[in-house]
Amino acid sequence: MDNRIQIDVTEPSAYKGMYALENYLQQSQLSKTHLNLIKIRASQLNGCSFCIDMHTKEALKSGEKQQRIFLLNAWRKTDLFTEEEKIILQITEEVTMIHRNGLTTDSYNKVLEKFDANYFSQMIMAITTINAWNRIAISTNKPLENNPE
């Protein structure tokens, strides 16, 4: 993979804005589990190796089970995820792949049956933020950190 300009080095002020979104998410009502599922699944869909690596490690540190991470690509075909988690994964996919059909009315209605307006809004902000991070990391060939855990 070719070396590319790293925006965090050349334009650190731009990263400050992204970190403000991350700080907001850390202070939000989103559970660590929900936030980790959003970050990992969106990163898988976008093919962002840097973010998949980072967020699977974070998820494991916060107590996520390896089996659930391994099967995240097949979440529809397993009973390892709760109904709420499946709704979160569905909207993560629909918003990440917005060019297909967008967030469908069916998914939107399912979200509002299980979550309030604030939690829904925080989920959308989390999905939007990780998609932005994915695009930065993929565009710049962000190198993996070499600290195996």
Side-chain angles (χ1 to χ4, degrees), residues 32-33 36 40 53-66 69 145 147-149:
K32 290 283 186 207
T33 298
N36 287 331
I40 296 167
D53 182 62
M54 175 191 297
H55 299 304
T56 54
K57 288 176 182 173
E58 289 173 352
L60 290 168
K61 279 185 183 176
S62 68
E64 185 60 77
K65 296 195 176 4
Q66 287 182 351
I69 294 172
E145 293 183 16
N147 68 358
E149 296 175 19

Side-chain angles (χ1 to χ4, degrees), residues 13-23 128-130 132-133 136:
S13 295
Y15 261 55
K16 285 182 184 177
M18 291 298 297
Y19 284 128
L21 286 170
E22 281 300 323
N23 290 334
T128 302
T129 301
I130 190 56
W133 281 123
I136 292 167

